[in-house]
Amino acid sequence: MIRLLCFILLSFCAGGIAAQTGSDIILFDLKQVDHVLVVSGGKNITARKGYDNQPFFDPVKPLIYFASFNDSGRSDIKVYQYHKNSTVNLTVTAEREYSPTVTPDGQFISCIIQRDNGEQDLGRYPVKGGEAEVLINDLVIGYHAWINREQLLLFVLDGKDGNSLHFYDLPSKKDTVLANGIGRSLHAIPGTGKMSFVQRVSEKELLVKAFNPASMEITTIAPALPGQDHLTWLNEHTLLMSDGTKLYVYDTLTNKGWQPVTIEGDVSMLKGITRLAVNKKASKLAVVVSE
């Protein structure tokens, strides 16, 4: 019963067929001009009907990995090369893959593999193609982020108890629960060795928090935008979030609160914003919007 409930929850959180509507990924250019963030040149890189979501930038190559429903309603991982404006499949399987993430060694794409029997594993596919290797199969994982080559931060669906944050060590398989009531956005904070997550502390209040794997300490960074749990980092002190229609930045050095971002060009495509992703150089921004 717990496994079935978790499967239903994942179908909502990680992109199941019944819960998802059509979405597109818009790619923007980013730059700083006189300490002001400029977002420009929006381009729909998934201009088709259906679900295209969960973009993840390769840290070295001009590639974006994302989850995309195929014609039979199953999610595969695709790769967009933004210098060539071309898209190819990384996976074409009978399973459903979500949340593609480049592993720290750059040799694999880790992802959630959802199966028809309700089971789901954290696995990885070679970036050059090949069969999946299962990494974790005893937790119902919705999202994940790599801390280093051996340790991960996990969003785990706990059935009736909600969502929890786990610190997982692959060699020892040691699983440590860190927090409850967390959001879906897990990130490495650039240049710090720390990880960020969003936690709901009351019905209306969500906080962006930091986890230090070295000390196992959790500290508060900033308030999240009301009702929002997806964010990304531009650098070690600048956060980017959306309220669903606009973009906002938060500088943890000045703590002046969330400031609106001006977007140059056509902004009509920005509707129903959910996810954000930035490349390592903070020169490209991927925004997931409703069709």
Side-chain angles (χ1 to χ4, degrees):
M1 181 64 181
I2 293 177
R3 170 68 73 176
L4 176 60
L5 178 58
C6 289
F7 174 68
I8 294 170
L9 285 170
L10 184 69
S11 293
F12 176 79
C13 293
I17 296 171
Q20 294 300 327
T21 57
S23 53
D24 282 318
I25 301 172
I26 311 298
L27 183 62
F28 289 94
D29 293 321
L30 278 181
K31 60 182 178 180
Q32 295 273 349
V33 179
D34 296 327
H35 304 290
V36 175
L37 180 65
V38 178
V39 179
S40 61
K43 177 183 179 180
N44 189 337
I45 65 171
T46 59
R48 69 177 192 96
K49 290 292 183 181
Y51 176 90
D52 297 291
N53 210 320
Q54 302 174 335
F56 190 98
F57 282 91
D58 189 288
V60 178
K61 304 172 185 177
L63 305 176
I64 300 174
Y65 297 90
F66 62 97
S68 177
F69 277 4
N70 60 29
D71 292 339
S72 63
R74 293 178 179 271
S75 180
D76 291 314
I77 296 171
K78 291 186 177 182
V79 191
Y80 176 75
Q81 219 282 25
Y82 48 86
H83 285 179
K84 297 181 179 180
N85 189 30
S86 63
T87 302
V88 297
N89 275 66
L90 177 71
T91 66
V92 180
T93 72
E95 313 292 352
R96 301 179 182 92
E97 291 93 14
Y98 298 101
S99 301
T101 304
V102 180
T103 57
D105 61 9
Q107 300 302 305
F108 300 89
I109 301 300
S110 57
C111 62
I112 307 303
I113 304 174
Q114 188 185 83
R115 310 185 190 281
D116 286 342
N117 62 2
E119 294 182 356
Q120 60 212 40
D121 303 326
L122 179 67
R124 65 182 187 182
Y125 288 89
V127 294
K128 295 182 179 180
E131 297 299 317
E133 174 190 1
V134 174
L135 300 176
I136 303 174
N137 63 1
D138 57 350
L139 294 171
V140 186
I141 301 169
Y143 304 92
H144 70 291
W146 290 91
I147 299 171
N148 52 50
R149 293 191 181 195
E150 297 183 339
Q151 297 173 323
L152 300 105
L153 208 57
L154 305 175
F155 170 110
V156 176
L157 294 123
D158 295 322
K160 64 180 181 180
D161 297 322
N163 312 320
S164 59
L165 183 71
H166 291 227
F167 172 57
Y168 194 93
D169 183 79
L170 278 174
S172 67
K173 299 186 182 300
K174 183 179 180 181
D175 176 36
T176 304
V177 180
L178 300 174
N180 294 308
I182 69 158
R184 299 161 291 175
S185 192
L186 308 177
H187 292 280
I189 304 175
T192 68
K194 298 178 182 180
M195 307 293 290
S196 74
F197 66 98
V198 176
Q199 184 176 29
R200 182 177 296 278
V201 294
S202 70
E203 184 177 347
K204 297 182 179 180
E205 185 180 12
L206 293 91
L207 298 176
V208 182
K209 295 192 173 185
F211 167 63
N212 187 339
S215 64
M216 298 295 287
E217 292 181 327
I218 292 176
T219 54
T220 297
I221 299 173
L225 288 172
Q228 303 299 317
D229 67 349
H230 271 296
L231 58 82
T232 190
W233 289 87
L234 300 179
N235 52 47
E236 68 274 15
H237 59 81
T238 309
L239 285 157
L240 184 67
M241 287 192 82
S242 173
D243 65 353
T245 57
K246 297 179 181 179
L247 300 177
Y248 295 84
V249 292
Y250 189 106
D251 190 333
T252 61
L253 296 180
T254 61
N255 286 319
K256 292 182 178 180
W258 290 99
Q259 304 297 315
V261 175
T262 300
I263 302 174
E264 296 181 347
D266 181 13
V267 297
S268 63
M269 64 183 71
L270 292 179
K271 54 183 180 180
I273 300 172
T274 52
R275 300 172 189 270
L276 306 169
V278 172
N279 67 342
K280 190 173 183 179
K281 295 180 179 180
S283 61
K284 297 287 185 181
L285 167 66
V287 180
V288 176
V289 300
S290 299
E291 282 186 347

